[in-house]
Amino acid sequence: MGFSPLAVIKDLRKLNFSINQIKAYLEDRNINTTIELMEKEIDLIEKEIMPLVLLKKDLEKKDKVLKDFQKIDDYEKIKIEKIAARKIIFIEESMSKE
């Protein structure tokens, strides 16, 4: 954030501060209000970054799964396997999804 009034106004507008909020800040500008403002700015940036970080992690996981699939030679072919008989449980009552 720049320190000239014009730079401050431009920075605050980027953060969606209203004209009244900017005016109030400029009228009472001191080191304490500037520190407070910068801390609020950092918090706002963190809130904007977090969804992108989560999206990136999700995309990285999907990318890894696809790349692992790509390493399997016959991943596109239907494969029939015979498995041993297994027991099942049949419940005649209705069950909740919980």
XYZ file of all heavy atoms in Angstrom:
813
model
N 0.858 -1.167 0.000
C 0.000 0.000 0.000
C 0.897 1.221 0.000
O 1.767 1.353 0.839
C -0.899 -0.025 1.244
C -1.919 1.074 1.270
S -3.377 0.637 2.232
C -2.998 1.375 3.763
N 0.695 2.126 -0.961
C 1.487 3.348 -1.049
C 1.114 4.305 0.072
O 0.142 4.117 0.783
N 1.903 5.378 0.249
C 1.647 6.290 1.358
C 1.166 7.660 0.905
O 0.741 8.455 1.721
C 2.896 6.418 2.242
C 3.198 5.145 2.974
C 4.237 4.321 2.583
C 2.413 4.742 4.040
C 4.505 3.145 3.251
C 2.675 3.562 4.719
C 3.721 2.764 4.321
N 1.223 7.980 -0.385
C 0.653 9.252 -0.835
C -0.865 9.119 -0.803
O -1.398 8.015 -0.954
C 1.132 9.581 -2.251
O 0.486 8.739 -3.193
N -1.576 10.233 -0.593
C -3.046 10.135 -0.517
C -3.664 9.462 -1.749
O -4.582 8.660 -1.608
C -3.490 11.584 -0.399
C -2.326 12.285 0.233
C -1.110 11.577 -0.308
N -3.146 9.774 -2.920
C -3.698 9.160 -4.134
C -3.451 7.645 -4.147
O -4.352 6.874 -4.485
C -3.090 9.803 -5.383
C -3.653 9.309 -6.713
C -5.172 9.486 -6.762
C -2.991 10.031 -7.874
N -2.253 7.234 -3.758
C -1.948 5.799 -3.705
C -2.825 5.100 -2.675
O -3.307 3.988 -2.913
C -0.467 5.591 -3.387
N -3.041 5.751 -1.526
C -3.896 5.183 -0.476
C -5.318 5.014 -1.008
O -5.944 3.964 -0.833
C -3.885 6.069 0.791
C -4.956 5.613 1.780
C -2.507 6.042 1.441
N -5.822 6.042 -1.677
C -7.181 5.980 -2.233
C -7.288 4.841 -3.237
O -8.240 4.047 -3.205
C -7.572 7.330 -2.872
C -7.736 8.390 -1.782
C -8.851 7.197 -3.692
C -7.847 9.811 -2.297
N -6.314 4.719 -4.128
C -6.326 3.650 -5.129
C -6.292 2.278 -4.457
O -7.047 1.378 -4.830
C -5.148 3.814 -6.091
C -5.335 4.972 -7.060
C -4.078 5.275 -7.854
C -3.784 4.198 -8.856
N -2.634 4.518 -9.727
N -5.432 2.123 -3.435
C -5.342 0.848 -2.730
C -6.646 0.501 -2.022
O -7.107 -0.641 -2.065
C -4.204 0.873 -1.706
C -2.826 0.827 -2.355
O -2.740 0.443 -3.539
O -1.851 1.180 -1.673
N -7.244 1.487 -1.380
C -8.488 1.233 -0.654
C -9.645 0.938 -1.608
O -10.522 0.135 -1.286
C -8.815 2.409 0.270
C -7.812 2.631 1.419
C -8.203 3.852 2.237
C -7.700 1.401 2.301
N -9.638 1.556 -2.761
C -10.689 1.273 -3.747
C -10.557 -0.159 -4.262
O -11.550 -0.831 -4.511
C -10.634 2.274 -4.920
C -11.123 3.677 -4.576
C -12.528 3.743 -4.013
N -13.510 3.302 -4.997
C -14.642 2.675 -4.694
N -14.962 2.442 -3.441
N -15.463 2.302 -5.626
N -9.309 -0.634 -4.423
C -9.091 -2.025 -4.844
C -9.689 -2.993 -3.836
O -10.089 -4.086 -4.183
C -7.590 -2.316 -4.976
C -6.946 -1.771 -6.197
C -5.477 -2.203 -6.210
C -4.648 -1.304 -7.092
N -3.212 -1.606 -6.973
N -9.731 -2.571 -2.566
C -10.278 -3.410 -1.502
C -11.766 -3.161 -1.270
O -12.327 -3.597 -0.275
C -9.502 -3.167 -0.206
C -8.038 -3.590 -0.254
C -7.304 -3.065 0.966
C -7.931 -5.097 -0.334
N -12.377 -2.433 -2.194
C -13.817 -2.145 -2.144
C -14.229 -1.281 -0.951
O -15.337 -1.412 -0.443
C -14.644 -3.431 -2.176
C -14.476 -4.170 -3.477
O -14.417 -3.550 -4.547
N -14.361 -5.472 -3.412
N -13.326 -0.419 -0.481
C -13.701 0.532 0.554
C -14.584 1.594 -0.073
O -14.350 2.025 -1.202
C -12.460 1.192 1.166
C -11.781 0.367 2.222
C -11.108 -0.798 1.890
C -11.814 0.754 3.547
C -10.479 -1.560 2.854
C -11.182 -0.003 4.525
C -10.506 -1.168 4.166
N -15.597 2.030 0.658
C -16.480 3.080 0.153
C -15.761 4.425 0.232
O -14.772 4.580 0.961
C -17.775 3.136 0.974
O -17.491 3.647 2.268
N -16.275 5.391 -0.480
C -15.707 6.745 -0.453
C -15.746 7.291 0.974
O -14.784 7.916 1.436
C -16.466 7.682 -1.430
C -16.335 7.172 -2.876
C -15.991 9.111 -1.300
C -14.917 7.124 -3.403
N -16.837 7.032 1.691
C -16.957 7.515 3.075
C -15.909 6.864 3.983
O -15.345 7.527 4.853
C -18.363 7.261 3.622
C -19.399 8.160 2.976
O -19.066 9.228 2.470
N -20.637 7.725 2.973
N -15.644 5.574 3.789
C -14.627 4.895 4.592
C -13.235 5.474 4.288
O -12.434 5.679 5.198
C -14.630 3.394 4.300
C -15.831 2.659 4.860
C -15.885 1.223 4.368
O -15.770 0.964 3.172
N -16.066 0.293 5.301
N -12.976 5.739 3.030
C -11.687 6.311 2.638
C -11.532 7.704 3.220
O -10.484 8.060 3.772
C -11.541 6.340 1.101
C -11.477 4.902 0.569
C -10.297 7.125 0.688
C -11.575 4.789 -0.938
N -12.598 8.489 3.134
C -12.562 9.867 3.674
C -12.287 9.841 5.178
O -11.446 10.591 5.680
C -13.898 10.565 3.387
C -13.946 11.986 3.868
C -15.299 12.624 3.546
C -15.289 14.040 4.060
N -16.530 14.446 4.653
N -12.986 8.956 5.888
C -12.800 8.861 7.339
C -11.363 8.473 7.670
O -10.755 9.024 8.591
C -13.782 7.850 7.929
N -10.813 7.550 6.900
C -9.432 7.135 7.145
C -8.464 8.295 6.884
O -7.574 8.560 7.702
C -9.056 5.938 6.272
C -7.575 5.664 6.301
C -6.974 5.133 7.443
C -6.758 5.972 5.212
C -5.608 4.907 7.494
C -5.395 5.747 5.263
C -4.826 5.217 6.400
O -3.468 4.994 6.450
N -8.637 8.989 5.774
C -7.720 10.082 5.426
C -7.787 11.222 6.438
O -6.784 11.882 6.702
C -8.001 10.600 4.013
C -7.627 9.638 2.878
C -8.086 10.196 1.541
C -6.141 9.340 2.871
N -8.970 11.433 7.020
C -9.126 12.506 8.007
C -8.481 12.145 9.350
O -8.106 13.023 10.109
C -10.609 12.831 8.206
C -11.212 13.551 7.013
C -12.725 13.733 7.124
O -13.343 13.179 8.060
O -13.284 14.422 6.255
N -8.351 10.862 9.637
C -7.783 10.431 10.917
C -6.601 9.496 10.683
O -6.459 8.464 11.320
C -8.860 9.722 11.754
C -8.372 9.387 13.152
O -7.513 10.115 13.689
O -8.831 8.366 13.700
N -5.773 9.846 9.747
C -4.659 8.983 9.347
C -3.484 9.155 10.298
O -2.958 10.245 10.467
C -4.254 9.344 7.919
C -3.297 8.396 7.304
C -3.283 8.611 5.827
N -1.968 9.077 5.409
C -1.604 9.245 4.165
N -2.484 9.058 3.198
N -0.399 9.642 3.859
N -3.094 8.047 10.937
C -1.913 8.037 11.789
C -1.350 6.619 11.757
O -1.905 5.743 11.102
C -2.234 8.503 13.216
C -3.278 7.649 13.887
O -3.121 6.435 13.976
N -4.359 8.259 14.366
N -0.256 6.407 12.462
C 0.398 5.095 12.381
C -0.505 3.971 12.898
O -0.548 2.883 12.330
C 1.766 5.107 13.097
C 2.563 3.857 12.703
C 1.604 5.193 14.601
C 4.034 3.953 12.977
N -1.286 4.240 13.944
C -2.173 3.209 14.497
C -3.298 2.849 13.539
O -3.596 1.667 13.338
C -2.735 3.641 15.849
C -1.661 3.708 16.918
O -0.710 2.943 16.895
N -1.798 4.641 17.841
N -3.934 3.866 12.946
C -5.023 3.570 12.004
C -4.473 2.919 10.742
O -5.132 2.082 10.141
C -5.823 4.839 11.637
O -4.950 5.814 11.069
C -6.547 5.404 12.834
N -3.247 3.278 10.360
C -2.633 2.663 9.180
C -2.313 1.194 9.443
O -2.579 0.336 8.599
C -1.360 3.435 8.765
O -1.714 4.803 8.508
C -0.739 2.844 7.521
N -1.768 0.902 10.619
C -1.486 -0.497 10.977
C -2.783 -1.294 11.011
O -2.865 -2.408 10.483
C -0.747 -0.575 12.331
C 0.679 -0.045 12.175
C -0.745 -2.009 12.877
C 1.412 0.151 13.491
N -3.808 -0.732 11.624
C -5.108 -1.405 11.700
C -5.658 -1.672 10.301
O -6.165 -2.762 10.015
C -6.087 -0.541 12.498
C -7.447 -1.168 12.695
C -8.383 -0.247 13.471
O -7.919 0.438 14.403
O -9.573 -0.231 13.132
N -5.531 -0.680 9.442
C -6.022 -0.820 8.070
C -5.246 -1.905 7.322
O -5.837 -2.725 6.615
C -5.911 0.515 7.333
C -6.510 0.549 5.950
C -8.031 0.420 6.037
C -6.144 1.836 5.245
N -3.931 -1.920 7.487
C -3.117 -2.935 6.822
C -3.460 -4.331 7.330
O -3.499 -5.277 6.549
C -1.629 -2.646 7.026
C -1.137 -1.518 6.174
S 0.646 -1.410 6.325
C 0.915 0.196 5.627
N -3.715 -4.463 8.635
C -4.101 -5.763 9.172
C -5.442 -6.223 8.606
O -5.628 -7.405 8.291
C -4.123 -5.716 10.703
C -2.726 -5.633 11.301
C -2.704 -5.412 12.804
O -3.766 -5.119 13.398
O -1.602 -5.510 13.389
N -6.370 -5.292 8.441
C -7.659 -5.628 7.820
C -7.454 -6.032 6.362
O -8.085 -6.962 5.869
C -8.624 -4.443 7.896
C -9.194 -4.216 9.269
C -10.151 -3.032 9.263
C -10.672 -2.749 10.658
N -11.545 -1.563 10.699
N -6.561 -5.335 5.693
C -6.260 -5.642 4.297
C -5.676 -7.052 4.179
O -6.076 -7.830 3.305
C -5.267 -4.610 3.745
C -4.949 -4.766 2.284
C -4.053 -3.658 1.756
O -3.882 -2.623 2.422
O -3.514 -3.851 0.658
N -4.762 -7.405 5.080
C -4.170 -8.744 5.081
C -5.246 -9.794 5.309
O -5.271 -10.832 4.637
C -3.047 -8.833 6.143
C -1.846 -7.987 5.706
C -2.634 -10.289 6.384
C -0.815 -7.759 6.794
N -6.160 -9.543 6.246
C -7.254 -10.490 6.510
C -8.130 -10.672 5.273
O -8.525 -11.796 4.941
C -8.113 -10.012 7.682
C -7.421 -10.171 9.024
O -6.424 -10.927 9.097
O -7.869 -9.537 9.998
N -8.451 -9.572 4.595
C -9.270 -9.659 3.389
C -8.571 -10.472 2.308
O -9.193 -11.303 1.641
C -9.592 -8.253 2.850
C -10.588 -7.427 3.642
C -10.631 -5.997 3.130
C -11.976 -8.048 3.580
N -7.286 -10.251 2.155
C -6.522 -10.990 1.155
C -6.491 -12.474 1.500
O -6.667 -13.330 0.625
C -5.093 -10.400 1.023
C -5.174 -9.018 0.380
C -4.183 -11.329 0.221
C -3.879 -8.224 0.446
N -6.292 -12.797 2.775
C -6.290 -14.199 3.210
C -7.616 -14.870 2.879
O -7.653 -16.018 2.433
C -6.014 -14.305 4.708
C -4.571 -14.118 5.091
C -3.646 -15.201 4.567
O -4.078 -16.376 4.452
O -2.504 -14.867 4.248
N -8.719 -14.155 3.098
C -10.044 -14.714 2.817
C -10.236 -14.948 1.325
O -10.957 -15.854 0.926
C -11.136 -13.796 3.363
C -11.243 -13.854 4.863
C -12.282 -12.898 5.389
C -12.297 -12.914 6.909
N -13.137 -11.881 7.481
N -9.614 -14.134 0.493
C -9.723 -14.319 -0.953
C -8.804 -15.443 -1.432
O -9.122 -16.145 -2.387
C -9.376 -13.020 -1.681
C -10.440 -11.951 -1.522
C -10.117 -10.674 -2.279
O -9.256 -10.699 -3.178
O -10.729 -9.642 -1.967
N -7.668 -15.609 -0.779
C -6.697 -16.616 -1.187
C -7.174 -18.022 -0.837
O -6.992 -18.960 -1.622
C -5.319 -16.347 -0.526
C -4.669 -15.121 -1.149
C -4.403 -17.558 -0.628
C -3.393 -14.682 -0.437
N -7.781 -18.201 0.324
C -8.111 -19.538 0.824
C -8.949 -20.368 -0.154
O -8.599 -21.533 -0.406
C -8.798 -19.447 2.186
C -8.904 -20.784 2.878
S -7.373 -21.758 2.949
C -6.359 -20.755 3.985
N -10.034 -19.834 -0.736
C -10.785 -20.662 -1.691
C -9.931 -21.101 -2.886
O -10.077 -22.216 -3.379
C -11.933 -19.749 -2.142
C -12.083 -18.756 -1.049
C -10.706 -18.557 -0.491
N -9.018 -20.250 -3.320
C -8.150 -20.615 -4.437
C -7.155 -21.699 -4.035
O -6.865 -22.606 -4.814
C -7.403 -19.375 -4.952
C -8.279 -18.329 -5.643
C -7.460 -17.086 -5.962
C -8.919 -18.892 -6.898
N -6.649 -21.637 -2.812
C -5.729 -22.664 -2.316
C -6.456 -24.013 -2.259
O -5.917 -25.035 -2.688
C -5.165 -22.282 -0.925
C -4.449 -23.450 -0.279
C -4.233 -21.080 -1.044
N -7.694 -24.004 -1.746
C -8.466 -25.247 -1.664
C -8.777 -25.794 -3.052
O -8.700 -27.006 -3.285
C -9.751 -25.014 -0.870
C -9.561 -24.673 0.604
C -10.893 -24.304 1.248
C -8.891 -25.805 1.358
N -9.126 -24.916 -3.982
C -9.395 -25.329 -5.358
C -8.145 -25.924 -5.982
O -8.194 -26.965 -6.643
C -9.892 -24.139 -6.180
C -10.163 -24.396 -7.652
C -11.232 -25.473 -7.834
C -10.564 -23.112 -8.353
N -7.001 -25.307 -5.748
C -5.734 -25.803 -6.282
C -5.446 -27.199 -5.740
O -5.068 -28.105 -6.498
C -4.597 -24.856 -5.925
C -3.255 -25.301 -6.451
C -2.148 -24.349 -6.033
C -0.817 -24.855 -6.536
N 0.206 -24.919 -5.543
N -5.624 -27.407 -4.442
C -5.377 -28.725 -3.846
C -6.293 -29.779 -4.462
O -5.872 -30.896 -4.758
C -5.570 -28.678 -2.335
C -4.440 -27.992 -1.611
C -4.671 -27.978 -0.110
C -3.535 -27.259 0.596
N -3.709 -27.244 2.046
N -7.562 -29.422 -4.653
C -8.523 -30.351 -5.245
C -8.110 -30.714 -6.672
O -8.134 -31.886 -7.056
C -9.920 -29.728 -5.226
C -10.981 -30.679 -5.713
O -11.032 -31.835 -5.228
O -11.779 -30.278 -6.593
N -7.703 -29.719 -7.441
C -7.278 -29.973 -8.817
C -6.001 -30.813 -8.865
O -5.854 -31.681 -9.728
C -7.071 -28.659 -9.566
C -8.349 -27.887 -9.902
C -8.017 -26.516 -10.467
C -9.220 -28.671 -10.858
N -5.098 -30.579 -7.923
C -3.872 -31.380 -7.868
C -4.183 -32.844 -7.576
O -3.576 -33.744 -8.163
C -2.912 -30.810 -6.817
C -2.256 -29.520 -7.250
C -1.465 -28.821 -6.154
O -1.681 -29.112 -4.954
O -0.639 -27.975 -6.499
N -5.146 -33.090 -6.680
C -5.542 -34.473 -6.377
C -6.128 -35.145 -7.615
O -5.787 -36.284 -7.949
C -6.582 -34.500 -5.252
C -6.028 -34.249 -3.884
C -7.155 -34.285 -2.857
C -6.682 -33.829 -1.499
N -7.797 -33.761 -0.537
N -7.021 -34.434 -8.304
C -7.646 -35.000 -9.504
C -6.608 -35.240 -10.589
O -6.655 -36.248 -11.291
C -8.746 -34.065 -10.008
C -9.952 -34.049 -9.099
C -10.990 -33.061 -9.548
C -12.169 -33.066 -8.591
N -13.158 -32.045 -8.900
N -5.670 -34.334 -10.724
C -4.602 -34.469 -11.708
C -3.772 -35.720 -11.405
O -3.447 -36.492 -12.308
C -3.724 -33.212 -11.681
C -2.612 -33.251 -12.706
O -2.915 -33.385 -13.913
O -1.434 -33.147 -12.302
N -3.466 -35.938 -10.135
C -2.681 -37.115 -9.742
C -3.438 -38.399 -10.057
O -2.862 -39.358 -10.586
C -2.331 -37.060 -8.261
C -1.443 -38.216 -7.828
C -1.219 -38.219 -6.333
C -0.379 -39.356 -5.842
N -0.503 -40.634 -6.488
N -4.726 -38.435 -9.752
C -5.535 -39.630 -10.027
C -5.527 -39.931 -11.523
O -5.326 -41.072 -11.949
C -6.981 -39.456 -9.506
C -7.901 -40.530 -10.060
C -7.008 -39.451 -7.992
N -5.725 -38.892 -12.334
C -5.746 -39.105 -13.787
C -4.382 -39.567 -14.304
O -4.304 -40.439 -15.170
C -6.184 -37.833 -14.499
C -7.662 -37.453 -14.325
C -7.953 -36.098 -14.937
C -8.559 -38.521 -14.923
N -3.322 -38.994 -13.771
C -1.984 -39.405 -14.205
C -1.690 -40.840 -13.783
O -1.041 -41.587 -14.517
C -0.932 -38.443 -13.671
C -0.938 -37.134 -14.433
C 0.076 -36.147 -13.899
C 0.025 -34.869 -14.730
N 0.850 -33.815 -14.169
N -2.180 -41.242 -12.595
C -2.019 -42.627 -12.157
C -2.803 -43.568 -13.073
O -2.328 -44.642 -13.436
C -2.465 -42.806 -10.706
C -1.500 -42.173 -9.713
O -0.356 -41.854 -10.101
O -1.890 -41.986 -8.543
N -4.008 -43.152 -13.459
C -4.813 -43.935 -14.391
C -4.102 -44.083 -15.732
O -4.123 -45.139 -16.355
C -6.162 -43.257 -14.643
C -7.331 -43.964 -14.040
C -8.383 -43.236 -13.534
C -7.406 -45.347 -14.001
C -9.476 -43.865 -12.977
C -8.494 -45.983 -13.452
C -9.530 -45.239 -12.933
N -3.488 -43.004 -16.156
C -2.805 -42.988 -17.445
C -1.662 -44.013 -17.492
O -1.330 -44.528 -18.552
C -2.265 -41.578 -17.686
C -1.843 -41.277 -19.095
C -1.411 -39.828 -19.237
O -0.784 -39.269 -18.354
N -1.766 -39.234 -20.362
N -1.098 -44.339 -16.365
C 0.012 -45.298 -16.295
C -0.453 -46.747 -16.477
O 0.344 -47.632 -16.764
C 0.738 -45.169 -14.957
C 1.476 -43.863 -14.798
C 2.076 -43.747 -13.412
C 2.685 -42.368 -13.200
N 3.162 -42.198 -11.821
N -1.743 -46.997 -16.304
C -2.290 -48.339 -16.457
C -2.497 -48.598 -17.946
O -3.205 -47.845 -18.625
C -3.626 -48.487 -15.691
C -3.408 -48.205 -14.206
C -4.221 -49.878 -15.911
C -4.688 -48.092 -13.407
N -1.878 -49.638 -18.455
C -1.927 -49.903 -19.898
C -3.342 -50.134 -20.427
O -3.704 -49.648 -21.484
C -1.055 -51.121 -20.244
C 0.420 -50.810 -20.083
O 0.795 -49.624 -20.218
O 1.198 -51.744 -19.813
N -4.135 -50.898 -19.707
C -5.450 -51.269 -20.240
C -6.599 -50.624 -19.467
O -7.648 -51.217 -19.291
C -5.598 -52.789 -20.274
C -5.416 -53.420 -18.906
O -5.051 -52.697 -17.954
O -5.659 -54.637 -18.787
N -6.422 -49.390 -19.032
C -7.464 -48.739 -18.227
C -8.761 -48.511 -18.998
O -9.816 -48.359 -18.415
C -6.960 -47.436 -17.605
C -6.834 -46.278 -18.567
C -7.875 -45.384 -18.752
C -5.659 -46.061 -19.281
C -7.753 -44.322 -19.627
C -5.532 -45.006 -20.140
C -6.578 -44.138 -20.320
O -6.459 -43.086 -21.179
N -8.700 -48.507 -20.330
C -9.915 -48.254 -21.115
C -10.659 -49.553 -21.466
O -11.738 -49.510 -22.015
C -9.563 -47.501 -22.398
C -9.094 -46.087 -22.146
C -8.727 -45.368 -23.428
O -8.144 -46.000 -24.323
O -9.040 -44.174 -23.525
N -10.069 -50.701 -21.149
C -10.673 -51.981 -21.518
C -11.524 -52.520 -20.374
O -11.183 -52.356 -19.211
C -9.582 -52.984 -21.865
C -8.781 -52.578 -23.084
C -7.679 -53.558 -23.355
C -6.845 -53.039 -24.525
N -5.578 -53.720 -24.624
N -12.607 -53.185 -20.735
C -13.460 -53.826 -19.739
C -12.780 -55.126 -19.330
O -12.325 -55.906 -20.164
C -14.861 -54.110 -20.308
C -15.555 -52.784 -20.630
C -15.678 -54.966 -19.345
C -16.883 -52.930 -21.319
N -12.729 -55.333 -18.030
C -12.038 -56.504 -17.505
C -13.030 -57.290 -16.645
O -13.644 -56.737 -15.749
C -10.846 -56.047 -16.672
C -9.925 -57.126 -16.252
C -8.711 -56.503 -15.560
C -7.720 -57.541 -15.185
N -6.556 -56.964 -14.510
N -13.179 -58.564 -16.916
C -14.076 -59.417 -16.139
C -13.222 -60.308 -15.251
O -12.324 -60.994 -15.727
C -14.973 -60.268 -17.060
C -15.839 -59.338 -17.923
C -15.809 -61.242 -16.241
C -16.664 -60.046 -18.963
N -13.510 -60.246 -13.955
C -12.777 -61.071 -13.002
C -13.755 -61.923 -12.219
O -14.841 -61.471 -11.866
C -12.000 -60.177 -12.022
C -10.824 -59.485 -12.624
C -10.004 -58.724 -11.590
O -10.124 -59.022 -10.377
O -9.254 -57.835 -12.000
N -13.368 -63.114 -11.930
C -14.187 -64.014 -11.120
C -13.711 -63.868 -9.677
O -12.507 -63.969 -9.409
C -14.024 -65.444 -11.612
C -15.095 -66.352 -11.153
C -15.158 -67.559 -12.076
C -16.396 -68.328 -11.749
N -17.314 -68.530 -12.808
N -14.657 -63.626 -8.784
C -14.299 -63.489 -7.378
C -14.989 -64.586 -6.574
O -16.026 -65.119 -6.980
C -14.674 -62.096 -6.818
C -16.166 -61.825 -6.980
C -13.863 -61.011 -7.492
C -16.615 -60.541 -6.302
N -14.412 -64.909 -5.456
C -14.971 -65.951 -4.594
C -16.318 -65.499 -4.031
O -16.585 -64.297 -3.886
C -13.998 -66.241 -3.453
N -17.167 -66.475 -3.707
C -18.477 -66.176 -3.127
C -18.294 -65.443 -1.802
O -17.365 -65.732 -1.042
C -19.262 -67.463 -2.924
N -19.188 -64.472 -1.565
C -19.117 -63.706 -0.320
C -20.491 -63.666 0.323
O -21.511 -63.775 -0.349
C -18.650 -62.273 -0.607
C -17.256 -62.235 -1.192
C -16.803 -60.836 -1.475
N -17.483 -60.349 -2.675
C -17.404 -59.112 -3.113
N -16.701 -58.225 -2.453
N -18.026 -58.731 -4.198
N -20.519 -63.493 1.628
C -21.784 -63.399 2.352
C -22.297 -61.964 2.267
O -21.516 -61.011 2.201
C -21.597 -63.789 3.813
C -21.224 -65.238 3.998
C -21.084 -65.575 5.460
C -20.712 -67.037 5.615
N -20.579 -67.414 7.012
N -23.639 -61.847 2.291
C -24.243 -60.518 2.356
C -25.235 -60.494 3.507
O -25.700 -61.544 3.969
C -24.947 -60.122 1.042
C -26.139 -61.047 0.762
C -23.987 -60.101 -0.118
C -27.029 -60.517 -0.335
N -25.557 -59.317 3.956
C -26.541 -59.151 5.027
C -27.748 -58.457 4.420
O -27.618 -57.437 3.744
C -25.968 -58.308 6.181
C -24.768 -59.019 6.801
C -27.032 -58.017 7.212
C -24.053 -58.198 7.856
N -28.915 -59.012 4.665
C -30.150 -58.418 4.168
C -30.961 -57.914 5.359
O -31.245 -58.678 6.283
C -30.952 -59.451 3.363
C -32.219 -58.907 2.783
C -32.188 -58.034 1.707
C -33.452 -59.241 3.333
C -33.341 -57.512 1.176
C -34.632 -58.716 2.814
C -34.573 -57.845 1.728
N -31.313 -56.645 5.360
C -32.080 -56.041 6.441
C -33.467 -55.687 5.904
O -33.584 -54.957 4.917
C -31.369 -54.772 6.980
C -29.982 -55.153 7.496
C -32.206 -54.101 8.062
C -29.129 -53.978 7.888
N -34.483 -56.210 6.558
C -35.838 -55.992 6.084
C -36.448 -54.696 6.586
O -37.506 -54.304 6.132
C -36.727 -57.195 6.459
C -36.327 -58.450 5.713
C -37.303 -59.580 5.949
O -38.484 -59.312 6.216
O -36.883 -60.739 5.854
N -35.816 -54.031 7.523
C -36.356 -52.785 8.069
C -35.832 -51.610 7.250
O -34.801 -51.691 6.603
C -35.924 -52.638 9.521
C -36.405 -53.745 10.427
C -35.809 -53.623 11.830
O -35.272 -52.552 12.154
O -35.879 -54.614 12.566
N -36.560 -50.508 7.355
C -36.042 -49.318 6.674
C -34.946 -48.683 7.533
O -34.967 -48.791 8.749
C -37.162 -48.303 6.428
O -37.667 -47.848 7.665
N -34.001 -48.067 6.888
C -32.877 -47.473 7.603
C -32.783 -45.997 7.247
O -33.072 -45.600 6.133
C -31.565 -48.180 7.224
C -31.507 -49.629 7.635
S -29.995 -50.433 7.105
C -28.754 -49.464 7.906
N -32.326 -45.213 8.194
C -32.118 -43.799 7.901
C -30.779 -43.647 7.197
O -29.920 -44.523 7.255
C -32.133 -42.970 9.195
O -30.970 -43.238 9.944
N -30.602 -42.534 6.568
C -29.342 -42.290 5.846
C -28.207 -41.951 6.798
O -27.066 -41.899 6.398
C -29.539 -41.154 4.840
C -30.447 -41.554 3.716
C -30.589 -40.445 2.701
C -31.518 -40.866 1.587
N -31.692 -39.840 0.597
N -28.528 -41.688 8.039
C -27.508 -41.358 9.019
C -26.770 -42.589 9.414
O -25.729 -42.684 9.880
C -28.140 -40.687 10.229
C -28.783 -39.369 9.871
C -29.583 -38.797 11.041
O -29.616 -39.390 12.121
O -30.188 -37.747 10.843
